[in-house]
Amino acid sequence: MRTAAPTVWEDFEVPAHARGGQVTLNLYDHLAAYAPKRPGAYLRISSDRFGPEAGVDRQLEDAQDTRARLRWGPFAKVYRENDTSAFKKRKVVKPDGSIDWIVVRPEFRQLLADLAIGVIDGVIFYDLDRLVRQPRDLEDLIDIVEYVKRPVTGATGGRMNLINDSDRHMARMMCVMALKSSEETARRVARQHLSAAQNGLAQGRIAYGWVRKGERKGQPVPDEADVVVRIFQDFKSGESAYSIARAFNTEEIKPPAARTWSSTMVAKMLRNPRYAGMVS
């Protein structure tokens, strides 16, 4: 439900010495002092391999401490993006057929919408590099902050507040540096993968036919390797994926990760570039 945000100037009084004069007021101190009654909290972690969301839970604890210290109201909404990158872009086809490359973060976009229409009247984020990694995302948030004039502050890292113009400029510089760091990391990881592939080392998820765990990870499993070779030979001889799967089930050959072989499983193996010595 849309909630009308209170007027930001309703409790603002012009100091006596500035009335009718040529004094330039610093309004940002007044804006930053506003204590939201229904703030939101934004929490994000890039990688959560084990799934318990412990990282974002710790971020929420720090955000709650900051909220209490600032004497803001209880969180109206908590926006969680666990195991979500703020750097990697995806190709998106718009309804009009045009194409864009953006970072897909539904909760972040929902936060922007809620802040714009007054569902929340302020935001506490854990740290700037958890909030944004792409300048485009930061500018979208700044546009809304400048429009609604509500505080968006960090729980760590000096507790910058995007309601202040100086903090906004600092955030822009820090965002660019964080983007540079992410791009350099991506480049190093890609180079490591290329070097490992050139040296014949297994990369990523290990396919059927090789040892998938332990010290011998990446080494061939002779019995499984024979099955893979047979799949390709039978297919070249004119057998379909369905007939290959049916024959394997009849012979009670153990499949990779299921109770029985299926045509889909066989077709997926036939399309796997790893069996041609390639890494995609």
Side-chain angles (χ1 to χ4, degrees), residues 213-230:
K213 296 180 180 180
E215 296 180 355
R216 296 183 60 251
K217 181 178 179 181
Q219 297 183 21
V221 179
D223 292 343
E224 293 183 0
D226 291 341
V227 172
V228 174
V229 171
R230 179 178 165 183

Side-chain angles (χ1 to χ4, degrees), residues 182-195 203:
S182 294
E183 290 177 341
E184 289 178 344
T185 299
R187 173 177 51 79
R188 289 195 299 269
V189 170
R191 185 64 184 87
Q192 290 171 0
H193 285 308
L194 175 61
S195 177
Q203 294 294 294

Side-chain angles (χ1 to χ4, degrees), residues 14-179:
V14 178
H17 71 279
R19 296 170 186 167
Q22 300 297 320
V23 177
T24 300
L25 297 178
N26 179 7
L27 303 179
Y28 296 110
D29 290 341
H30 167 73
L31 296 175
Y34 174 78
K37 298 175 179 59
R38 50 186 187 283
Y42 181 78
L43 320 169
R44 184 187 70 83
I45 190 169
S46 298
S47 178
D48 184 11
R49 295 183 179 180
F50 304 105
E53 300 193 13
V56 291
D57 287 341
R58 288 191 295 268
Q59 291 181 16
L60 179 58
E61 291 175 2
D62 291 345
Q64 289 283 17
D65 290 343
T66 300
R67 181 195 60 76
R69 178 181 58 82
L70 295 175
R71 297 183 180 180
W72 288 15
F75 287 130
K77 295 186 70 173
V78 175
Y79 304 84
R80 289 173 172 259
E81 289 192 307
N82 191 56
D83 204 17
T84 303
S85 173
F87 167 70
K88 296 179 181 178
K89 295 181 180 180
R90 297 182 186 176
K91 179 181 177 181
V92 176
V93 180
K94 298 181 180 179
D96 62 359
S98 62
I99 297 174
D100 198 0
W101 283 265
I102 61 174
V103 177
V104 179
R105 287 197 289 162
E107 287 296 302
F108 177 75
R109 288 291 151 185
Q110 187 62 55
L111 179 146
L112 297 184
D114 290 346
L115 183 61
I117 65 176
V119 173
I120 56 175
D121 60 346
V123 176
I124 292 177
F125 57 90
Y126 179 69
D127 192 79
L128 186 66
D129 70 347
R130 300 298 91 201
L131 180 67
V132 291
R133 280 295 179 103
Q134 292 288 352
R136 181 192 300 189
D137 290 343
L138 177 61
E139 293 302 328
D140 287 346
L141 175 58
I142 287 176
D143 286 344
I144 294 174
V145 171
E146 290 179 330
Y147 172 72
V148 300
K149 294 180 172 57
R150 294 305 186 198
V152 175
T153 189
T156 64
R159 297 190 177 93
M160 67 168 50
N161 193 335
L162 298 182
I163 199 68
N164 299 319
D165 57 349
S166 59
D167 283 359
R168 289 198 296 270
H169 297 321
M170 179 60 70
R172 289 182 173 109
M173 291 186 287
M174 292 176 65
C175 182
V176 170
M177 294 305 296
L179 176 61

